[in-house]
Amino acid sequence: MLSAPFTVRTPTPRFLATSPGEELWLALRDLYVHGADGLLGGDLFTTTRWAEPSGGLAHFLADVTLSLAVYKIMKAGRRIEVEDGLEGNALHSEEGEELFLLRMRAYLVEYLGISFLDRGGLRLIPDLALRSLKVSRNNIEKTARSLALAETNAEGRLLCYCCGTDMLFRTGGTKSNIPLDHIWPRSLGGVSTESNLLPICDDCNGAKTDRLSWGVFGIVQDYAAATQSQDADLLLSLALRRRAATKLAEEKYVTLKQAFLMLGPAEELTPVDPGEARLFFNLIAHDPGYLSSLW
Ligand SMILES: [Zn+2]
């Protein structure tokens, strides 16, 4: 295991967020990249604190860590809701919000090690957690649905944004049967408006569930047991596409949805350059002997 502390000091690229859950992820990433030395303890970021400070592997590890951090915070938020009787409308009252923010701050300090020294994070993160929790309750409204389904491509087709399946062809031309996916998962604070919705086929939707990113995709586990996982190839291609879309969204400063649309559906799985550190998730690299040689 490497012992160097994580000390990246470069400006963190951002994409254009439309959901509070995305803002939460980005805010945590700022803390992770710029505040990891000394300010943060606890178990929020510790899994990757020993990672090398640059390269594809570190980028991947940050992604894993941050996605899991969002999960932890959302889970804590739901627990606070239940324990303090804040479910339903109570969370929308002024007193309910106050109580939630207070409890979430305490939780971040006590369990996640976000130190009191970091005043910015302690204001921002509970607020984003509260907003994420609220939007996660919203269903897709009819108008959002019809707006999202009105966005056909140049040939007038609606494609699954993950694999390119022609959705109108699949449903015999009926738009009402086309499933829409929350690009940023609703359970992680993704909004139910057209800015966060794209058509998805059942196969991709079933494999993806509410997984956000590399870490949650469990790619390593899937490939460690490649023969037992029918979804393994699909999951890997979804993960590769999400990474490519995030990178593009950061480069162009657009939303993830715009980036996915610019990217177009993947026609086939493209393994990454075997010479790169990020071949961690190359099909070729899913060999336990190789993986252990990386550490
Ligand atoms: Zn699909």
Side-chain angles (χ1 to χ4, degrees):
M1 190 179 281
L2 303 169
S3 59
F6 197 94
T7 53
V8 175
R9 281 286 178 269
T10 50
T12 328
R14 298 175 74 87
F15 53 86
L16 183 59
T18 63
S19 295
E22 293 175 303
E23 295 281 7
L24 179 60
W25 192 92
L26 289 165
L28 288 169
R29 190 174 61 171
D30 285 346
L31 274 181
Y32 179 73
V33 173
H34 301 290
D37 282 345
L39 292 180
L40 300 167
D43 70 350
L44 185 61
F45 298 133
T46 44
T47 38
T48 60
R49 290 285 288 286
W50 42 266
E52 275 190 298
S54 62
L57 188 58
H59 190 256
F60 145 74
L61 285 167
D63 193 24
V64 171
T65 308
L66 294 167
S67 303
L68 291 174
V70 177
Y71 268 95
K72 279 184 194 173
I73 288 176
M74 292 295 285
K75 209 172 146 195
R78 291 198 188 91
R79 204 165 56 234
I80 290 169
E81 267 190 298
V82 174
E83 286 172 2
D84 292 337
L86 293 174
E87 289 159 297
N89 290 333
L91 200 62
H92 292 268
S93 72
E94 219 169 285
E95 298 77 27
E97 284 192 9
E98 279 295 313
L99 185 58
F100 180 91
L101 293 174
L102 210 71
R103 291 264 281 125
M104 181 54 86
R105 266 183 223 123
Y107 174 85
L108 291 173
V109 172
E110 200 171 335
Y111 296 104
L112 298 185
I114 291 185
S115 153
F116 63 89
L117 291 171
D118 178 47
R119 293 175 196 282
L122 273 186
R123 266 200 308 273
L124 185 63
I125 292 171
D127 184 60
L128 289 172
L130 175 66
R131 286 167 52 204
S132 296
L133 217 58
K134 284 183 180 177
V135 300
S136 72
R137 299 281 141 77
N138 297 340
N139 293 318
I140 302 173
E141 288 182 7
K142 261 188 187 164
T143 42
R145 191 178 156 75
S146 55
L147 283 170
L149 290 174
E151 297 165 351
T152 52
N153 71 3
E155 292 97 50
R157 299 195 299 166
L158 280 169
L159 308 178
C160 166
Y161 81 102
C162 293
C163 72
T165 293
D166 188 328
M167 298 306 296
L168 282 169
F169 181 77
R170 184 173 269 201
T171 60
T174 322
K175 276 191 180 175
S176 59
N177 292 339
I178 296 177
L180 290 174
D181 184 46
H182 288 80
I183 300 156
W184 195 269
R186 192 166 75 148
S187 62
L188 299 180
V191 290
S192 293
T193 63
E194 72 277 9
S195 65
N196 191 39
L197 297 169
L198 276 173
I200 191 167
C201 75
D202 291 334
D203 293 341
C204 291
N205 207 13
K208 182 180 166 289
T209 62
D210 68 351
R211 291 165 168 133
L212 183 61
S213 107
W214 291 104
V216 192
F217 268 106
I219 297 292
V220 169
Q221 290 87 333
D222 280 334
Y223 273 86
T227 50
Q228 285 126 51
S229 172
Q230 290 185 333
D231 279 341
D233 282 346
L234 183 54
L235 282 173
L236 183 60
S237 87
L238 291 172
L240 286 171
R241 280 180 47 65
R242 174 161 283 276
R243 188 180 63 184
T246 306
K247 195 161 169 271
L248 186 63
E250 287 171 353
E251 280 166 11
K252 309 272 182 199
Y253 193 60
V254 293
T255 65
L256 290 178
K257 172 172 174 168
Q258 288 166 331
F260 271 114
L261 290 174
M262 284 158 85
L263 208 60
E267 283 173 15
E268 59 186 36
L269 175 64
T270 313
V272 294
D273 180 349
E276 285 188 75
R278 58 183 60 158
L279 86 162
F280 205 66
F281 287 108
N282 198 332
L283 279 168
I284 307 159
H286 282 81
D287 161 31
Y290 178 79
L291 288 177
S292 59
S293 77
L294 281 174
W295 308 111

